[in-house]
Structure formats: C-alpha cells, structure tokens
Amino acid sequence: MKRRKVTAAASVALALAVTATACGGSKNDNGSSGGKKITIGIKFDQPGLGQKTPDGTYTGFDVDVATYVAKQLGYKASDIQWKEAKSADRETMLQRGDVDFIAATYSITPEREKKVDFAGPYLLAHQDVLVRADDNSIKSAKDLNSKKLCSVTGSTSAQNIRDTLAPKAQLQNYGGYSECLTGLENKAIDALTTDDSILAGYAAQSAFKGKFKLAGLKMTNENYGIGVKKGSPLKAKINKALEKMVADKSWQKAVEANFGPANYQYEPAPKIGNVVK
C-alpha cells in the first residue's frame, strides 16, 4: 500500500513535469531549432523607420537594424516577435521585460539613461523641418518665427520650438504626422518639424514623391540607441553587432534603401558608444 502511494505521487509529479515542459515548448515554439524567440519593440507608424504594413510585414531602417542585430545574437528573422513600442511606453516595456530590446527612434538622453541602458548610437538624427518642394524661404531656425509650423502634440520637437528655436512661430499641434502632412500639402501650414530621419521617411513615400523636401537645418542632435533593461548583458552584445553592421556595409545599405528616395542628407555611421552632444 505504501509503495502504491509513492508510485502515485511520483506519477503525479511526472505528469506535472511533462505538462510544464510542454507549456514551455509551446510558448517558444516557432519551428526553429531550440524553439527560441526574441521580442523586439519598434514603431508601427513611422514610414522609413518602423512601420507595420497592411499585409502584416514590418519595414524601415529600425526594423533592418533590429533584424541584423537579432541575427548576430543567433536568431533568424522568423524567430523575431515584433511589438509596438510607443514613445511613452518604452521605458516601462523594458523594465517589465515585455521586450528584449527596443529600436524605435529612441534618442539617448541622460533622463532615460537613469531608467534603461542603451547600445549604440546607431544613427545621428537632427530636428529639422519638412517644407514643400518649391519653398526656399527657410534657411535657418530664425526664419521659422514668421511661419505657420506644425508638430505633434506633446513632442519634444514642439517644446524645442516654443522654448528656444523659434518662440514666435505660429505653432499648431496636431494629433499625428499624417495630419501635418495634409496641412503642408494644402498650404494650411508652412512646415512640419520633428527628427529629420522621421521626416525623410515620410517624404520618401511614393504618395509624396517630389512634393516635399527637408530644409537641412540640423537644429538639435538626436542619438538613436537600442534600449535594453538596466544592467542587461545584451548591451555589450548589441554594440558588437552594430559595429559589425557598420564594418560590413550593411548599415550603409539599410540607410540608402530606406531614406534614399527622400534625398536625406544623413550623417555617417556614428561611432558606437560615442553620444554626440
């Protein structure tokens, strides 16, 4: 009788172990050897950088960088689970472990570095303005003081305009960049301001071909980094992957493929670990 109880208990324990193993396997099973996955945060609504297309694919420079890094970490493209990383959610997503890393026009700032770690930078962007292709009236930030300017509600770019760059500009805050683009096309506004990389992504879209151009003002420095959880060993591994991406020219190919149509005067690949102030 005693032996039977022990056997029953062992059977229950074995069943639980098998169930746990099965659950673990199904969670990470993607058809690759080992069934491993990596979860990466990107923007879903920024053409040229991070965009989820209607057919469910993901495109853009950040996507290309993240895919390359994942490959260097031992993951195939099919091993990647993409997750939308909205600006306000990025630190929380990393701290909670919702994602392994984030590549989403994520500027490295002292305030953010208190909460998360950054690999990179992998792109040096600048705040700029997008204007109509035939507009040559904006040569410097001070020229914006007499213009109707559009940015997105709550953005750092809008704050910079109000505080220092062009405090006398007629600034209009819209809910999204697409609304600003419509206003720019219809001449309701004179210029749209945000990071030049984001502006280039929009200008490169086939629907806007030849309609807009960047003024090339370079009003601020925005060092895009890959965010990881504070203290994560991934930081060093991602830095090595980024260094390789620059060295083997994959970085250059990705920039040209995503920003070329907008004639974006991008900066050379930044030195990994060197944040430009």
Side-chain angles (χ1 to χ4, degrees):
M1 190 71 178
K2 185 176 181 180
R3 180 179 297 175
R4 187 174 299 170
K5 287 182 179 180
V6 172
T7 303
S11 298
V12 171
L14 179 60
L16 288 173
V18 170
T19 301
T21 302
C23 290
S26 62
K27 182 178 180 180
N28 297 316
D29 186 14
N30 57 29
S32 64
S33 60
K36 59 184 179 179
K37 283 280 191 181
I38 187 168
T39 305
I40 302 172
I42 57 169
K43 291 292 181 67
F44 277 14
D45 59 352
Q46 289 183 345
L49 286 154
Q51 185 177 33
K52 184 178 181 180
T53 63
D55 65 1
T57 58
Y58 301 89
T59 64
F61 181 68
D62 283 348
V63 174
D64 289 347
V65 170
T67 301
Y68 185 97
V69 168
K71 182 179 179 181
Q72 297 305 308
L73 295 176
Y75 298 91
K76 298 181 297 185
S78 59
D79 297 328
I80 299 173
Q81 294 179 323
W82 300 106
K83 183 169 287 191
E84 184 174 18
K86 295 182 179 180
S87 295
D89 300 333
R90 291 176 296 199
E91 284 84 39
T92 302
M93 291 175 70
L94 288 169
Q95 291 169 339
R96 286 192 313 222
D98 296 341
V99 292
D100 293 292
F101 67 79
I102 290 178
T105 58
Y106 203 1
S107 295
I108 302 172
T109 67
E111 187 63 30
R112 288 170 178 164
E113 286 183 306
K114 295 176 183 177
K115 302 175 182 178
V116 301
D117 284 342
F118 286 97
Y122 63 91
L123 184 71
L124 176 60
H126 308 279
Q127 184 172 344
D128 200 353
V129 294
L130 192 71
V131 298
R132 289 181 291 277
D134 60 354
D135 186 351
N136 298 308
S137 65
I138 299 175
K139 303 295 185 182
S140 67
K142 67 180 182 179
D143 294 331
L144 298 173
N145 282 305
S146 61
K147 300 294 184 179
K148 293 179 181 178
L149 196 59
C150 181
S151 193
V152 173
T153 302
S155 69
T156 303
S157 298
Q159 192 68 43
N160 290 339
I161 292 294
R162 284 192 296 266
D163 291 349
T164 57
L165 297 176
K168 294 182 181 180
Q170 300 176 49
L171 184 63
Q172 301 178 36
N173 291 314
Y174 288 10
Y177 293 117
S178 59
E179 296 173 48
C180 288
L181 285 166
T182 299
L184 184 59
E185 187 173 15
N186 297 335
K187 299 186 177 182
I189 61 170
D190 299 311
L192 159 61
T193 185
T194 187
D195 295 355
D196 53 8
S197 58
I198 297 174
L199 296 175
Y202 279 107
Q205 299 303 290
S206 57
F208 304 127
K209 188 175 182 180
K211 293 183 178 180
F212 307 125
K213 67 180 180 181
L214 279 77
L217 302 187
K218 297 185 177 181
M219 297 181 285
T220 65
N221 292 326
E222 306 295 334
N223 297 268
Y224 289 176
I226 293 181
V228 298
K229 191 173 184 178
K230 199 74 175 173
S232 173
L234 274 180
K235 176 180 176 178
K237 296 178 181 179
I238 293 173
N239 276 335
K240 288 184 179 180
L242 292 173
E243 289 171 352
K244 183 176 180 181
M245 187 177 189
V246 172
D248 68 13
K249 308 299 182 182
S250 295
W251 184 92
Q252 186 71 28
K253 291 177 182 177
V255 168
E256 292 174 356
N258 290 289
F259 300 128
N263 295 316
Y264 174 36
Q265 300 301 308
Y266 54 85
E267 297 281 3
K271 182 179 179 181
I272 306 305
N274 181 32
V275 176
V276 180
K277 303 297 184 183

